[in-house]
Amino acid sequence: MGMNIIPMARPQMGPEELELVASALASGQLAQGERVRQFEDQFAEFVGAPHAVATSSGTTAIHLALLALGIGPGDEVITVAFTFVASATPILHVGARPIFVDVEPRTYAMDPEQLERAITDRTRAIMPVSLYGQPANMPAILEIAERHGLAVIEDACQAHGAELAGRRSGSWGLGVFSFYPTKNMTSGEGGMVTTSDGKIADTVRLLREHGMKVRYHHDLLGYNFRMTDIHASIGLAQLKKLPAANERRRAIAARYTEELVGVLPPDERPGAKPVYHQYTLRVRRRDEFTDGLQARGVGSSVYYPIPVHRQKPFLDIESARVSLPVTERLVEEILSLPVHPSLTDDEVGQVVSATNATAAELGPWVAE
Ligand SMILES: Cc1ncc(COP(=O)(O)O)c(C=O)c1O
């Protein structure tokens, strides 16, 4: 059948990306070099963080942030299970214990009250996730962290340019970002650690490159988690387009929230400017809802159907044997609609009418 389905993402590569990649290739400098440094400087400035260190992915950014904080066996890191698995797998890789707390039902982010109750004398760090492009409650989380002397890593892998109280995601404590192709901006693959702490930034740089500051002198056990100049070139071009792309995402989201009927839209945190990496509803009868959208030419997706504490690598982890009622309910009800900036106004209209028709057919959302 020939119907075109409106897709969940459409990465936009234009002449700016092509030109920068071509000049990187022509220069012969392919691995980490000047382009990576430029990308780090411009990204740090954009976020409002004094330091940014580029990595090979968001996952390796999280891994290095944990290592730079000295987190390892015997330590606990408090995070959420309502996220992509890679928020938590690096906690296992460094040998620490993930402690999962529940999320707020309308912003989908870490519940600060649950956080406070989960702190023990083994807690070393807190990792809230600014999921779908909406900042977690960073002021409340920082206040708790300061009171207990804990580090904070904001997983901002989906929150490039998101703001809360006039500050951008990644400027509170440590921030970690992903530049995977479907993100609000991409480098192909890539990641970034942002921080105001120059010592942490130095340690991340060392760990990223075999513990090496002076060529072939290895000061600590490191990795090759570098970004290439080819990927940084894509990232530089994409960073320039990010503010306009985020504004377009916000405008589409505003129209959805205004016009959708019979579903539960996401809440905006007071004082926040989310960048809508995803626009995520709660619906009844989700499988049928997905089919109803598909039949009307609209793609949709579930991010993510299984919470992290129920994923196979975590089933043998004692600290992951917890019950998280909000998380466990949300994973049954959430559904993300296309919200990427290349949607035309007609496509946005089609998403609205398909969603409203499907909700009317299946019965409206009702609060319990
Ligand atoms: C919330 C979150 N954390 C971590 C990651 C890991 O990033 P990457 O895929 O670049 O390794 C992603 C993205 O995939 C993500 O969405």
Side-chain angles (χ1 to χ4, degrees):
M1 190 185 102
M3 182 162 69
N4 283 331
I5 301 287
I6 300 175
M8 285 303 288
R10 235 184 234 148
Q12 298 289 299
M13 292 292 126
E16 303 84 358
E17 285 81 0
L18 280 173
E19 198 178 298
L20 280 172
V21 168
S23 64
L25 293 178
S27 78
Q29 175 62 50
L30 306 183
Q32 181 183 291
E34 191 49 40
R35 283 284 163 83
V36 169
R37 268 188 295 278
Q38 277 174 20
F39 186 32
E40 290 174 340
D41 288 350
Q42 292 184 24
F43 196 77
E45 196 185 329
F46 174 78
V47 161
H51 308 278
V53 186
T55 59
S56 53
S57 70
T59 308
T60 54
I62 298 171
H63 194 139
L64 294 188
L66 291 167
L67 287 176
L69 289 169
I71 290 167
D75 297 334
E76 292 179 355
V77 178
I78 302 176
T79 187
V80 290
F82 191 74
T83 183
F84 182 58
V85 73
S87 302
T89 44
I91 301 171
L92 296 185
H93 283 303
V94 303
R97 196 177 302 152
I99 305 295
F100 295 107
V101 297
D102 221 337
V103 292
E104 303 163 338
R106 296 296 302 284
T107 66
Y108 311 120
M110 179 181 277
D111 179 343
E113 274 177 34
Q114 304 269 338
L115 159 65
E116 181 111 48
R117 274 188 293 229
I119 293 171
T120 72
D121 56 9
R122 291 177 301 279
T123 308
R124 293 287 312 282
I126 307 166
M127 185 161 42
V129 182
S130 294
L131 200 71
Y132 308 145
Q134 162 127 270
N137 191 344
M138 298 310 294
I141 291 167
L142 282 195
E143 188 273 317
I144 294 168
E146 268 162 31
R147 208 153 16 84
H148 294 269
L150 303 172
V152 175
I153 303 171
E154 179 189 5
D155 180 340
C157 284
Q158 302 188 2
H160 319 69
E163 290 177 24
L164 178 60
R167 284 176 72 171
R168 286 211 164 121
S169 278
S171 70
W172 319 82
L174 273 85
V176 287
F177 292 86
S178 163
F179 303 116
Y180 185 76
T182 55
K183 299 294 196 260
N184 290 32
M185 61 169 286
T186 182
S187 62
E189 291 270 10
M192 197 77 81
V193 178
T194 55
T195 176
S196 58
D197 185 331
K199 279 230 245 348
I200 294 278
D202 285 346
T203 309
V204 172
R205 283 180 208 285
L206 270 180
L207 289 164
R208 171 180 67 175
E209 194 164 21
H210 299 301
M212 181 172 87
K213 205 180 286 169
V214 176
R215 209 162 175 73
Y216 305 132
H217 292 62
H218 304 279
D219 300 335
L220 45 79
L221 179 65
Y223 299 82
N224 174 0
F225 285 167
R226 292 181 303 251
M227 180 181 279
T228 73
D229 264 22
I230 304 166
H231 292 94
S233 298
I234 303 173
L236 278 164
Q238 289 266 304
L239 181 58
K240 290 212 167 50
K241 301 177 179 177
L242 180 65
N246 280 347
E247 278 313 309
R248 175 73 183 146
R249 285 177 185 268
R250 287 179 51 72
I252 296 168
R255 187 166 165 203
Y256 287 162
T257 298
E258 173 97 15
E259 296 181 14
L260 293 179
V261 182
V263 294
L264 190 68
D267 245 1
E268 290 202 357
R269 185 181 301 290
K273 265 182 95 174
V275 291
Y276 291 97
H277 172 59
Q278 299 297 344
Y279 186 90
T280 303
L281 305 164
R282 291 169 62 182
V283 299
R284 295 177 65 214
R285 301 163 68 181
R286 184 177 58 200
D287 290 348
E288 292 159 270
F289 210 104
T290 304
D291 292 345
L293 290 177
Q294 178 86 9
R296 293 172 174 90
V298 172
S300 61
S301 194
V302 177
Y303 306 107
Y304 298 90
I306 304 173
V308 176
H309 66 308
R310 302 284 190 244
Q311 297 282 1
K312 283 186 186 156
F314 290 85
L315 293 183
D316 290 336
I317 307 293
E318 210 189 311
S319 69
R321 287 194 200 115
V322 287
S323 147
L324 302 168
V326 178
T327 295
E328 286 155 27
R329 174 158 179 205
L330 284 177
V331 298
E332 304 292 331
E333 297 178 346
I334 44 160
L335 190 64
S336 299
L337 300 177
V339 71
H340 47 90
S342 68
L343 292 174
T344 64
D345 289 346
D346 282 352
E347 286 176 319
V348 174
Q350 190 184 336
V351 174
V352 170
S353 45
T355 307
N356 287 348
T358 307
E361 188 177 281
L362 295 179
W365 168 270
V366 274
E368 294 210 338

